[in-house]
Amino acid sequence: MPRSCRILTYAIATAVAATAGFVFPSGATAAAPRTATSDFNGDGYADLAVGVPDGTVGGEAKAGYVNVVRGGPKGLGAHGSIRVTQATPEIPGTPEAGDRFGASVTLVDLNGDGIAELLAGVPGEDVIDRGTDAGMVIAVGGSKNGPGPGSTVLTGPSPSAAYGKSVAAADLTGGTDGTDGNKEIVIGGTDKVVARVIQGEDSMVTTVLAAPMGGRAPVLDTGDFDSDGTADLAVAYWTAGDPNTQSHVRLWKWDADRSAMANFWNTDNAGVTALAAGDYDGDGNDDLALGECREIADENIDDPCGPEMLAEGGGIHIHYGSPAGGSFGSRAQTLNQDTAGVPGVAEDGDRFGAALAAADVDRDGRDDLIAGAPGEAIGSRSGAGAAWLLHGGAQGLLDANGAATAATWNQDTPRVPGVAEAGDAFGAAVDSGDSNADGVPDVTAGSPGENASLGAVWLLPGGSAAGSAAFSPRTLGLPYLSTAHKYGKPLSSR
């Protein structure tokens, strides 16, 4: 049954919020300076948000929850976690079957106070006067003693709008003077992407894109793709079999004169499952990796995902940035498991690049790309899954000879816990954050099919199998039933 949810306008400003709404925990700004943008409990360590939209809460199947796993000196999984649901005090709504709370998650410091907020999508939320599956996004404040109060960022306007299928946040406007530090919240729903924009003491909701998306969640990421010093938005979507040529990866920037997002770059007919912005060649300009890129229509578009031979098993196509005023994406590279230096063999169904994350794991000043292939077969075990670390270099992810420098892991890799089994889907989600505050980013890989789809997450400290560990609802002491929770997708530690 649709129900009334507590709907609060979510507007954060440096000094004064424009409307009543989100309340930050008392004392949250008094903590010592931190560098971890995903530090939810204010202890100086990066935390990890694991969305569990298939989780049962209070007997309600797929009501969903989010598990915030604390970082600490021993890394993720060794310092406990916090379970956040719609039954948590001061969180809007009530757990109901099919809500799918946590279908999208991100930990982000929205107002620059040094403590991250949790953004959680609830695409199955029924909202009174708006209908079944209108959806919503909830923001939850971080604090030293547990989750703080929550607010509704936005609800979908109509039945099946499914707001919260995806979510991202960044300072897209630069503020009224370019220095306010507040972040806009971008929300993906059914065939639509909208943004809640902060302008001084005011906020507004603007439609970024409305287009057929084949029922899939639009893929969102942010980076400074035009090198003007302000973040931009990347959106990927696709509809198989559509006879009309469409732009399926688009870049948007804030147009202050129009008070709207403006589209400034497209690539046509590229069906993409994941995006990852990073500076892979170290030139100071953001690049964009397109994961599991495939051409979805024959409209005389010349290989929007690079050479077709590199699409087998899933290909990764990288568009490189240029200095301000230059042409973004004029230089590109493409790779798959048949590329020199990439371990493995490209095979149909591998889904190489279905999950992506960027971080400078080797600390050489160039971002590296973490890629998951949840369909990868390990021996005869189909869909066991694997993950790769692709190192950035002077030319990007490939050197002048077209070769990569890479490492790979799966559950049969020495020193990685567990055993690769059919259907584990290791690498279905990947992320990176400095969870032990040693100055080196750690890699996390989700395996939602592990243990009959209870699911688990693996931690690879500093991008190495040495000292790796796994954690799951069982090891973290979370309540769980025999139902499939698929813990480990999605992940967010940034």
Side-chain angles (χ1 to χ4, degrees):
M1 293 289 293
R3 65 182 183 282
S4 176
C5 296
R6 181 165 60 110
I7 302 175
L8 303 176
T9 301
Y10 190 93
I12 304 172
T14 303
V16 181
T19 58
F22 192 85
V23 178
F24 290 98
S26 60
T29 59
R34 289 166 296 276
T35 58
T37 59
S38 61
D39 182 7
F40 188 66
N41 63 343
D43 64 357
Y45 295 93
D47 303 315
L48 176 72
V50 183
V52 194
D54 287 337
T56 298
V57 178
E60 301 291 338
K62 297 187 178 181
Y65 67 91
V66 177
N67 185 215
V68 180
V69 185
R70 297 187 184 98
K74 296 180 180 179
L76 296 168
H79 301 277
S81 69
I82 301 168
R83 184 172 182 259
V84 182
T85 78
Q86 287 185 283
T88 301
E90 299 189 82
I91 304 299
T94 301
E96 293 184 320
D99 279 350
R100 305 198 77 241
F101 180 87
S104 59
V105 292
T106 190
L107 284 174
V108 58
D109 182 2
L110 288 170
N111 66 347
D113 71 350
I115 293 183
E117 287 72 53
L118 168 68
L119 297 177
V122 199
E125 182 81 5
D126 300 338
V127 182
I128 197 166
D129 297 329
R130 303 196 179 197
T132 302
D133 295 341
M136 66 192 300
V137 169
I138 292 173
V140 182
S143 104
K144 180 177 291 188
N145 298 318
S151 312
T152 302
V153 176
L154 199 64
T155 56
S158 59
S160 301
Y163 275 24
K165 283 185 175 181
S166 48
V167 66
D171 185 2
L172 299 173
T173 67
T176 54
D177 60 359
T179 60
D180 76 352
N182 295 304
K183 294 177 174 62
E184 282 63 52
I185 300 171
V186 184
I187 296 167
T190 300
D191 299 336
K192 198 169 188 179
V193 176
V194 300
R196 179 169 286 283
V197 177
I198 308 298
Q199 290 187 290
E201 296 184 355
D202 299 318
S203 70
M204 59 179 286
V205 176
T206 182
T207 297
V208 178
L209 172 69
M213 298 178 185
R216 303 174 187 86
V219 184
L220 308 175
D221 204 359
T222 59
D224 183 8
F225 304 114
D226 59 359
S227 302
D228 68 349
T230 300
D232 309 308
L233 174 67
V235 179
Y237 63 99
W238 57 284
T239 305
D242 193 312
N244 301 311
T245 301
Q246 297 184 50
S247 297
H248 296 282
V249 179
R250 293 185 173 188
L251 301 184
W252 304 78
K253 64 182 299 180
W254 180 250
D255 185 330
D257 293 334
R258 294 173 50 233
S259 292
M261 298 295 290
N263 175 221
F264 70 91
W265 184 88
N266 304 316
T267 185
D268 295 332
N269 288 318
V272 170
T273 305
L275 297 171
D279 183 6
Y280 303 114
D281 56 5
D283 67 352
N285 303 298
D286 279 351
D287 316 311
L288 184 64
L290 317 183
E292 201 184 5
C293 194
R294 84 284 275 166
E295 186 174 355
I296 63 169
D298 185 7
E299 296 287 344
N300 298 316
I301 303 298
D302 293 331
D303 297 335
C305 295
E308 290 187 18
M309 68 183 72
L310 295 177
E312 184 175 2
I316 299 173
H317 191 56
I318 308 98
H319 288 279
Y320 288 90
S322 299
S327 177
F328 176 84
S330 58
R331 186 171 76 88
Q333 295 177 334
T334 307
L335 58 91
N336 71 353
Q337 286 188 70
D338 286 344
T339 300
V342 179
V345 176
E347 298 170 309
D348 287 342
D350 284 347
R351 304 197 63 210
F352 181 73
L356 297 177
D360 185 7
V361 177
D362 58 13
R363 311 307 292 162
D364 67 349
R366 303 179 181 99
D367 281 327
D368 310 307
L369 183 66
I370 305 156
E376 176 80 359
I378 305 300
S380 62
R381 293 152 292 177
S382 62
W388 282 256
L389 178 64
L390 303 157
H391 291 279
Q395 302 297 319
L397 296 178
L398 301 178
D399 65 19
N401 297 316
T405 300
T408 187
W409 316 279
N410 61 69
Q411 288 190 64
D412 281 356
T413 300
R415 296 186 289 185
V416 173
V419 176
E421 298 171 308
D424 280 347
F426 184 92
V430 294
D431 215 314
S432 181
D434 186 6
S435 60
N436 61 358
D438 66 352
V440 180
D442 306 310
V443 173
T444 49
S447 179
E450 177 75 9
N451 290 333
S453 293
L454 175 63
V457 172
W458 270 253
L459 171 69
L460 297 130
S464 171
S468 59
F471 53 89
S472 70
R474 183 178 293 121
T475 65
L476 291 170
L478 300 173
Y480 66 90
L481 304 173
S482 59
T483 55
H485 281 206
K486 299 181 182 178
Y487 185 94
K489 183 183 180 183
L491 303 175
S492 174
S493 60
R494 62 190 180 96

